[in-house]
């Protein structure tokens, strides 16, 4: 709700400034409308309102209508990429890596499956090319529907996987924790978090995401037959990492 209110207020404020400064009305209205749409996406819990398609590209109307927003978030992302000392890719297990959104030149050669959690960025064609690409769009700093997450993870093939959001922290941490328990690599979500933060210390979950993880742990929403079957058959985590 906080992000919805902030973006809606920012959008309304920019539009109001457009009425005061007529010489800059068009860019102010355009940018304000972009933030209003982003705020509505947060308010409704609908990342699809930003126009990202299942193949990782952005719809034409999103590239046009939300151009100022895309310009802003791309600029911030590139600045973070340039000045961050954090690795772009962190290896968690031999078959699982996590990190930030990548350029085509940064993708590890052994990765066969890309799980993209961003709703606000297109996925570079060079990252998707020749690999199995799956989109599970989430708005920054939010948590998904538990049933939808469980079904999505259950549908993923068993392949060397790279999971990412924009910077590889909140959304990536949440998704990868559930993924590791579902695959039987970790016995619990706290154990998965320990494994992930050892590989990528920058992973941090906010209050909403921690509440989601606590609910998953309490209700055993992530313990699927796949993990249970491996335990019954006596396969330890090392066998599937």
């Amino acid at each position: 709700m906080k992000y919805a209110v902030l973006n809606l207020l920012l959008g309304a404020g920019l539009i109001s400034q457009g009425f005061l400064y007529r010489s800059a009305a068009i860019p102010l209205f355009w940018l304000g409308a972009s933030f209003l749409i982003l705020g509505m996406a947060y308010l409704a819990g609908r990342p699809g309102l930003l126009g990202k398609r299942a193949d990782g590209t952005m719809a034409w109307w999103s590239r046009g209508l939300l151009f100022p927003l895309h310009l802003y978030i791309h600029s911030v992302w590139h600045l973070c990429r340039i000045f961050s000392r954090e690795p772009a890719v962190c290896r968690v297990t031999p078959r699982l890596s996590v990190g930030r959104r990548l350029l085509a030149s940064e993708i590890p050669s052994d990765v066969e499956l890309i799980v993209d959690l961003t709703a606000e960025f297109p996925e570079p064609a060079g990252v998707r090319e020749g690999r199995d690409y799956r989109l599970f769009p989430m708005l920054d700093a939010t948590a998904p529907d538990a049933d939808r997450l469980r079904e999505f993870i259950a549908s993923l093939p068993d392949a060397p996987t790279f999971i990412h959001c924009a910077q590889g922290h909140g959304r990536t941490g949440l998704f990868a924790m559930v993924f590791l328990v579902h695959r039987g690599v970790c016995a619990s979500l706290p154990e998965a978090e320990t494994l992930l933060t050892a590989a990528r210390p920058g992973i941090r979950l906010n209050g909403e995401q921690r509440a989601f993880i606590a609910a998953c742990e309490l209700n055993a929403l992530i313990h699927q037959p796949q993990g249970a079957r491996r335990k019954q058959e006596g396969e330890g985590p090392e066998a599937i990492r």
Side-chain angles (χ1 to χ4, degrees):
M1 181 62 72
K2 177 178 70 175
Y3 286 89
V5 172
L6 288 175
N7 282 292
L8 289 171
L9 288 175
L10 178 58
L14 287 166
I15 289 173
S16 67
Q17 291 300 302
F19 287 107
L20 295 175
Y21 301 98
R22 296 298 180 89
S23 61
I26 292 177
L28 286 170
F29 287 158
W30 200 358
L31 184 58
S34 296
F35 279 103
L36 284 178
I37 292 172
L38 180 59
M40 287 187 288
Y42 272 101
L43 189 63
R46 294 180 58 188
L49 289 178
L50 300 186
K52 189 161 182 176
R53 297 183 287 207
D55 63 357
T57 61
M58 305 300 293
W60 64 268
W61 59 263
S62 176
R63 296 195 301 269
L65 181 61
L66 302 180
F67 174 76
L69 178 64
H70 289 307
L71 181 62
Y72 167 74
I73 62 175
H74 275 78
S75 298
V76 171
W77 181 81
H78 278 291
L79 287 172
C80 292
R81 178 182 64 83
I82 292 168
F83 291 107
S84 176
R85 296 182 179 180
E86 187 176 40
V89 178
C90 296
R91 185 80 65 174
V92 181
T93 75
R95 291 172 64 81
L96 175 66
S97 299
V98 299
R100 62 162 170 81
R101 175 176 177 264
L102 300 179
L103 301 175
S105 60
E106 297 173 318
I107 188 73
S109 59
D110 63 331
V111 168
E112 297 176 9
L113 172 64
I114 303 288
V115 178
D116 177 8
L117 306 176
T118 66
E120 69 275 28
F121 290 100
E123 189 78 343
V127 173
R128 292 180 279 118
E129 186 176 353
R131 299 175 181 88
D132 189 354
Y133 170 80
R134 306 292 179 94
L135 174 65
F136 188 80
M138 297 169 58
L139 294 167
D140 189 21
T142 65
D145 176 78
D147 289 334
R148 190 169 68 90
L149 176 60
R150 179 181 58 189
E151 291 169 3
F152 180 85
I153 290 178
S155 73
L156 295 176
D158 186 11
T161 302
F162 176 64
I163 300 168
H164 79 87
C165 56
Q167 299 299 333
H169 298 151
R171 289 172 285 185
T172 295
L174 182 151
F175 186 98
M177 287 169 65
V178 179
F179 179 89
L180 285 166
V181 175
H182 184 277
R183 290 295 170 95
V185 178
C186 296
S188 68
L189 291 165
E191 180 185 335
E193 183 174 14
T194 299
L195 182 63
L196 284 164
T197 53
R200 191 171 180 82
I203 285 178
R204 294 286 185 276
L205 274 61
N206 64 16
E208 179 181 350
Q209 292 165 340
R210 288 210 169 275
F212 173 86
I213 289 297
C216 284
E217 189 78 353
L218 179 64
N219 296 310
L221 291 175
I222 60 172
H223 294 284
Q224 296 298 299
Q226 181 181 21
R229 181 170 59 252
R230 283 171 172 157
K231 288 180 172 55
Q232 291 168 2
E233 292 172 354
E235 297 182 17
E238 295 300 327
I240 56 174
R241 291 187 186 185

